[in-house]
Each structure stands twice: as structure tokens, then as C-alpha cells.
Amino acid sequence: MNKRSALRPRLLAALGAALLLTSCSSAGEDEHRTTDGRASHWGEDMGAPEASAFMKVAVPESATEVKGAVQINPQEDIYLLSFVTDEKTAVRVAEDLRPEKPLRARNQDLPSPTELFGHLGLAEPQSEKGVRWAGVCPPCVGDSRRSEVQWIEIHVLELDADRARVYVQAF
């Protein structure tokens, strides 16, 4: 067998895998998604209401400093939501996500893999001292309310004795 005929099966396999991946990722896409290979960008006119609706996280009526954004990506969009509320309400929001473990301290030595909340004028929650977090895969825990959400995580930062900033991120 010469080199050319040995290369052909590998090339066909790679081409088939690429076609399979692109056909799966383009089915059922939202109209705002880019399909021409462009880089990530922030959705215009997409903020806290859109993020809240996607995550199925109700912003408490008493919340202040409500901010949100949607980063449009070629593969999956990232939804951000943040608000300030009382500590009890922040914990209830976290518990409603149905994480396997309750809010807990996060290792401060971990670098932030992304700079997302900076778009909202906020420090990244992972960089804040004393922040607690929980994360969950809604389909993995049978949360049918959030069947479209692959991953959601919440960070809660105590601001003072009565207030906490809530950061929620989902894709």
C-alpha cells in the first residue's frame, strides 16, 4: 500500500467527523447566533431579562443593581446575570438551582478562565475574597425547568451584614 492510498481513509474519516460536528451544531440555532465563523460578541439589546429568562432565575423584586448580558459565541452562548439582594434571598436563589453541594468557598488560587463579568462593570466573582459558589448541570439533576441549560453556576459575595451580590452564569 503506498502513502497516498494509506492517507485516503484518514482523510475521509476526518472529513466525515467534521461534517457530523457541523451538522449537529447548526440544527435549531437561534436567529442571533453567528454561523459564518465570526468571533464572539456581546448581544445588542440583550441584558438581564434575556439572561433571567434563559436561566429560569427570577430576579427578586427587592433586588438592586440588576445587570445582565449575553455573549454570542459560535458554539454556545453565555448568559450573565448579577444583582444585589439580602443574604437569605441569595441563598434561596442558589438552592433553587438544585446543586449537589450547597454554596461553599472557592479556591482563591484558581485563575479566572474568562473575563465575562467585566463587561457588566463588575470584578470577576472568582477574584473576590470570601465568595461562595455552587454549580450544577440542570439536565443531570433532572431539573426540567432548565432543560436548555447545560451548566449554571452561582457566586454569592457578602457585601455587608445585610446585602450580597449574586453572580449567575449559564450556557
Side-chain angles (χ1 to χ4, degrees):
M1 187 191 285
N2 64 32
K3 286 183 180 180
R4 186 175 292 178
S5 62
L7 184 59
R8 188 171 293 147
R10 289 186 201 154
L11 183 59
L12 289 174
L15 180 60
L19 288 172
L20 179 63
L21 288 173
T22 58
S23 68
C24 291
S25 66
S26 63
E29 290 183 324
D30 295 329
E31 60 189 65
H32 66 267
R33 180 167 317 286
T34 59
T35 57
D36 61 1
R38 289 183 287 173
S40 301
H41 65 278
W42 293 100
E44 291 182 33
D45 301 323
M46 297 179 79
E50 291 77 13
S52 174
F54 174 77
M55 298 175 189
K56 306 287 191 282
V57 171
V59 175
E61 288 184 28
S62 61
T64 60
E65 300 180 41
V66 179
K67 300 177 180 192
V70 180
Q71 185 184 58
I72 310 300
N73 294 301
Q75 293 295 319
E76 58 198 5
D77 298 340
I78 298 174
Y79 295 78
L80 305 176
L81 180 65
S82 181
F83 52 87
V84 174
T85 189
D86 63 89
E87 176 71 17
K88 282 185 178 183
T89 301
V91 170
R92 275 197 306 269
V93 170
E95 290 171 347
D96 183 60
L97 299 178
R98 301 180 184 169
E100 292 181 6
K101 295 180 181 178
L103 286 169
R104 58 199 177 279
R106 186 161 207 160
N107 184 346
Q108 289 294 337
D109 297 332
L110 294 175
S112 176
T114 56
E115 297 292 326
L116 296 170
F117 283 93
H119 178 73
L120 300 177
L122 301 169
E124 298 304 314
Q126 301 90 328
S127 68
E128 297 286 346
K129 208 172 207 109
V131 72
R132 295 170 295 148
W133 80 281
V136 65
C137 162
C140 301
V141 296
D143 187 350
S144 61
R145 300 168 301 162
R146 298 182 177 96
S147 61
E148 299 294 316
V149 179
Q150 296 176 28
W151 178 256
I152 188 167
E153 66 181 47
I154 186 169
H155 291 82
V156 176
L157 176 65
E158 184 178 326
L159 300 174
D160 57 40
D162 299 327
R163 300 178 318 132
R165 174 166 300 281
V166 175
Y167 301 82
V168 191
Q169 175 180 334
F171 59 87

